[in-house]
Amino acid sequence: QKEVEQNSGPLSVPEGAIASLNCTYSDRGSQSFFWYRQYSGKSPELIMFIYSNGDKEDGRFTAQLNKASQYVSLLIRDSQPSDSATYLCAALPTAGGTSYGKLTFGQGTILTVHP
Amino acid sequence: EAQVTQNPRYLITVTGKKLTVTCSQNMNHEYMSWYRQDPGLGLRQIYYSMNVEVTDKGDVPEGYKVSRKEKRNFPLILESPSPNQTSLYFCASSFGQGYRNTEAFFGQGTRLTVV
């Protein structure tokens, strides 16, 4: 079982809609979770991180974390064509010592926002 | 400007010819990592380093070596490259001082082709 799994997509939504990206993780002790956006041929860039249960909002983006269900999601409101990219979910494993550098990534979900 | 710099950006080499991909960061980060990215597999960690002279294997270390003689540099060495190491490689760095400060900053990527 992969440690971090994302809905494989690709996901296609119309401009202005809400895009919902999902991620589950297997390490129950995981502490922090990250959403990265990666445009084709470019390096990943951080959109949001979350470490507490509940919702975290930043502009059009909302990250949701449910540790009991081991589930993380990213909602993009008012989706724009410029949001078309691959979205990567990452988890930081059980805290302590050397683990802070060991991010584990999901396989990514390709999002296309069409006009 | 805070950045992670990888070189070269593109490299075509032949099987068995030793090569080094350099990575340097100017943010005084403790943690540095190497990832490879392949279609459908997401980002997989090769090696990571917690500080100078401290390194550990990631998920796919076979065929790779690293060293961390200075805090800012973390080169990736392929002693005898093989075609299955053809991939897109990313270097990343982060503070790693607790689970709230582990945003990873990525280099521009190195596209390696081994023929």
Side-chain angles (χ1 to χ4, degrees):
Chain A
Q1 180 189 2
K2 284 183 64 69
E3 294 181 30
V4 177
E5 291 217 40
Q6 298 182 237
N7 47 340
S8 57
L11 178 65
S12 180
V13 301
E15 185 173 357
I18 296 175
S20 177
L21 302 158
N22 304 313
C23 176
T24 58
Y25 59 95
S26 59
D27 181 356
R28 185 169 288 279
S30 294
Q31 294 288 310
S32 305
F33 304 87
F34 304 81
W35 283 101
Y36 283 83
R37 178 178 61 199
Q38 185 178 25
Y39 292 114
S40 181
K42 302 295 186 182
S43 55
E45 54 180 341
L46 183 71
I47 300 175
M48 294 191 70
F49 67 92
I50 186 168
Y51 47 81
S52 298
N53 270 329
D55 295 359
K56 180 182 180 183
E57 188 174 317
D58 184 1
R60 296 186 295 111
F61 299 96
T62 299
Q64 299 174 315
L65 173 59
N66 183 325
K67 289 188 176 181
S69 299
Q70 296 177 240
Y71 177 90
V72 190
S73 66
L74 179 70
L75 301 177
I76 307 174
R77 290 182 301 281
D78 188 24
S79 297
Q80 301 296 310
S82 59
D83 294 327
S84 298
T86 297
Y87 288 80
L88 300 164
C89 173
L92 191 65
T94 304
T98 62
S99 69
Y100 291 135
K102 199 178 187 329
L103 279 179
T104 299
F105 285 84
Q107 72 273 35
T109 299
I110 299 171
L111 171 66
T112 301
V113 181
H114 52 88
Chain B
E1 179 187 357
Q3 58 186 4
V4 178
T5 303
Q6 290 178 232
N7 280 297
R9 295 288 311 279
Y10 301 91
L11 178 60
I12 301 175
T13 189
V14 296
T15 299
K17 184 177 181 181
K18 180 179 178 180
L19 67 91
T20 299
V21 184
T22 64
C23 175
S24 180
Q25 51 97 0
N26 63 0
M27 294 169 279
N28 201 35
H29 284 168
E30 293 178 351
Y31 283 77
M32 297 186 75
S33 298
W34 277 103
Y35 296 87
R36 61 178 289 174
Q37 188 172 35
D38 303 289
L41 296 177
L43 281 163
R44 293 181 292 167
Q45 194 175 52
I46 302 170
Y47 270 96
Y48 64 105
S49 169
M50 294 72 75
N51 215 323
V52 175
E53 303 290 5
V54 183
T55 63
D56 203 355
K57 296 177 180 179
D59 298 317
V60 287
E62 294 78 21
Y64 305 94
K65 285 177 59 178
V66 293
S67 68
R68 186 96 179 270
K69 293 183 169 54
E70 301 170 285
K71 195 172 187 178
R72 61 184 175 184
N73 295 325
F74 190 44
L76 179 69
I77 302 159
L78 284 72
E79 295 268 3
S80 183
S82 63
N84 65 11
Q85 292 179 296
T86 293
S87 187
L88 178 60
Y89 291 86
F90 287 103
C91 178
S93 71
S94 61
F95 280 114
Q97 293 179 4
Y99 65 88
R100 301 186 183 191
N101 293 301
T102 52
E103 174 188 353
F105 294 83
F106 285 82
Q108 318 95 300
T110 296
R111 187 166 292 282
L112 172 65
T113 302
V114 183
V115 299

